[in-house]
Amino acid sequence: MAKQIHLTVSDRIGEQLAAYSARTGKSINAIGTEAFLSLFEKPKRPQEAAFTFIDLFAGIGGMRLAFSRQGGACLFSSEWDAYCQKAYFDNFGDMPVGDIRAVDEKDIPPHDVLVAGFPCQPFSIAGVSKKNSLGRATGFLDKTQGTLFFDVVRILNEKRPKAFLLENVKNLKSHDKGRTWDIIMDALQELDYAVFSMVLDGQIFVPQHRERVFIVGFDRRRYGESVHFDFHLDPPAEKKALRDILEPEVHEKYTLSDKLWTYLQNYAAKHRAAGNGFGYGLPDLGGAARTLSARYYKDGSEILIRQEGKNPRRLTPRECARLQGFPEDYKITVSNTRAYKQFGNSVVVPLVTEIASLIIEKMNALDRACKAGKD
């Protein structure tokens, strides 16, 4: 819930605020909020940081955890959802900026890596304007305008980080018969980045079948044309099973009511009779679960845990956090409903950590090669 604060300022400061508001198009309230948030910012680029990154469409910070584990310092984050902002602040001490569409790309600090789990929105080339985009009659800014991917594109174009990692649902590649994917690839390559992509399953690292597409890019203007990258992951020697993430004792409130359990069984039977595969999931505790989704809060039907002598139960929020590979010290400071949505929308942290390791290893090798070439 938003809280109102009333401040009295001098005439001079009031005039300066009004002038800044007119120049930037930001409201006085937005300017004040940004000023207060700056009080909580950490020093830019700590000396011990191996590299810097920004965290766009940050959610609750799964990507941040991954890149921080590689020695990176996060210089900027953006997330519009107020409950995710709260979770992010409670765990990292940074309050993400809200709507990235309202952020001028010139105001974002220089960084080495851009990280973004951008939402997938419909792309349309129909009605592309004939404005001059970066010297082109049409171009990537035109084709992606009106989508949140556009904000990734404009920041990449302005700041030119050494590398980026983008994450999205597997179906992004087939959306709109592949046209959405083609626009994304064309846009990134038009920006002069060497682009690599792969669909990876989080089941390599956690007991959950979760396929996502990952897109990695390196700046060709900095590193040249012959950049190669391989998604060669190093899975853990011992793989966790679903039982390994379960809490030993769980409150009765997570057990399904008789009414809900009867409904789910009848619903599944109806779809089986029709030849469909819809229904609840009761996974083998020695294996992996289905994909945890943002709708898990509704009935928990995709992942239910068997219980002896009573109805099955939902996962707890902490178990959902573990299913996504979040560390035990990650604070859950929102309601169960919000937590289910947040973890269902998040990333498999160990998987992204491994990808981050590969990106930083390649980036460092490219930097060394560039330095050697100049010496």
Side-chain angles (χ1 to χ4, degrees):
M1 179 181 293
K3 296 185 181 296
Q4 290 188 344
I5 299 176
H6 299 280
L7 295 177
T8 302
V9 298
S10 67
D11 289 341
R12 181 178 64 83
I13 294 177
E15 290 170 0
Q16 290 176 327
L17 282 171
Y20 184 78
S21 176
R23 187 169 69 252
T24 62
K26 297 178 181 178
S27 68
I28 299 292
N29 184 59
I31 295 168
T33 299
E34 290 176 359
F36 278 115
L37 290 179
S38 69
L39 297 173
F40 302 104
E41 287 186 351
K42 295 178 179 177
K44 300 305 180 189
R45 185 142 203 167
Q47 290 187 351
E48 68 273 13
F51 64 94
T52 59
F53 66 98
I54 66 170
D55 191 13
L56 306 181
F57 312 105
I60 58 174
M63 303 273 262
R64 175 167 178 156
L65 282 170
F67 279 83
S68 295
R69 288 175 176 176
Q70 302 306 318
C74 184
L75 302 186
F76 174 87
S77 56
S78 175
E79 169 57 47
W80 72 272
D81 182 88
Y83 297 97
C84 287
Q85 285 180 325
K86 171 177 168 49
Y88 198 97
F89 181 80
D90 290 342
N91 280 279
F92 303 108
D94 288 340
M95 179 63 77
V97 172
D99 191 346
I100 191 63
R101 295 172 298 180
V103 176
D104 189 329
E105 58 269 26
K106 292 181 174 60
D107 294 336
I108 293 176
H111 51 278
D112 297 318
V113 185
L114 179 149
V115 177
F118 69 97
C120 175
Q121 296 168 287
F123 286 71
S124 174
I125 309 180
V128 169
S129 67
K130 296 300 180 182
K131 69 181 181 181
N132 187 1
S133 289
L134 304 174
R136 301 172 177 84
T138 60
F140 50 85
L141 289 179
D142 290 305
K143 293 177 183 178
T144 60
Q145 184 76 53
T147 71
L148 291 173
F149 178 68
F150 166 78
D151 298 287
V152 173
V153 169
R154 65 184 176 87
I155 294 169
L156 285 173
N157 181 58
E158 174 64 29
K159 294 300 178 180
R160 298 217 60 86
K162 297 177 182 180
F164 64 75
L165 172 64
L166 310 181
E167 179 267 351
N168 211 298
V169 295
K170 173 188 175 183
N171 290 341
L172 180 68
K173 297 191 74 169
S174 58
H175 181 267
D176 194 20
K177 299 181 180 178
R179 285 188 283 266
T180 295
W181 182 255
D182 289 343
I183 292 174
I184 289 172
M185 290 297 105
D186 288 347
L188 295 172
Q189 288 162 2
E190 231 180 304
L191 281 166
D192 268 346
Y193 278 86
V195 184
F196 311 88
S197 67
M198 181 169 283
V199 173
L200 296 169
D201 193 339
Q203 191 173 186
I204 303 170
F205 296 93
V206 296
Q208 176 195 182
H209 175 62
R210 190 181 191 87
E211 290 184 302
R212 292 293 184 269
V213 63
F214 294 90
I215 307 170
V216 171
F218 295 92
D219 185 5
R220 285 196 297 237
R221 295 182 193 173
R222 179 187 297 265
Y223 298 129
E225 295 293 325
S226 57
V227 178
H228 301 284
F229 179 78
D230 183 13
F231 287 89
H232 180 69
L233 302 179
D234 187 16
E238 193 169 331
K239 189 175 177 181
K240 283 188 175 182
L242 185 57
R243 66 166 60 90
D244 297 325
I245 63 101
L246 300 181
E247 298 189 70
E249 294 185 14
V250 173
H251 194 281
E252 280 297 316
K253 66 182 180 181
Y254 297 104
T255 297
L256 299 189
S257 67
D258 290 340
K259 181 178 180 181
L260 177 55
W261 180 224
T262 299
Y263 167 79
L264 290 177
Q265 292 178 93
N266 291 340
Y267 182 84
K270 181 179 71 174
H271 280 281
R272 278 197 301 271
N276 300 324
F278 298 109
Y280 56 86
L282 280 169
D284 178 359
L285 298 188
R290 293 180 183 179
T291 302
L292 180 69
S293 75
R295 69 168 298 284
Y296 191 76
Y297 75 95
K298 292 185 176 180
D299 53 31
S301 61
E302 63 258 42
I303 308 171
L304 295 174
I305 305 302
R306 290 182 175 87
Q307 299 187 105
E308 190 172 347
K310 54 184 176 180
N311 297 341
R313 68 170 179 88
R314 297 177 175 88
L315 295 172
T316 69
R318 177 57 65 188
E319 290 169 338
C320 290
R322 293 171 180 170
L323 198 61
Q324 292 283 50
F326 277 77
E328 287 298 298
D329 61 357
Y330 188 89
K331 303 181 188 74
I332 302 175
T333 59
V334 295
S335 70
N336 282 5
T337 295
R338 295 291 173 182
Y340 285 136
K341 289 181 179 180
Q342 290 175 356
F343 289 116
N345 275 326
S346 193
V347 295
V348 173
V349 175
L351 172 59
V352 180
T353 301
E354 186 71 13
I355 298 171
S357 174
L358 296 175
I359 292 171
I360 303 310
E361 181 182 355
K362 171 59 71 172
M363 187 176 76
N364 290 340
L366 291 169
D367 283 341
R368 289 193 296 271
C370 286
K371 187 176 185 301
K374 292 176 182 177
D375 292 343

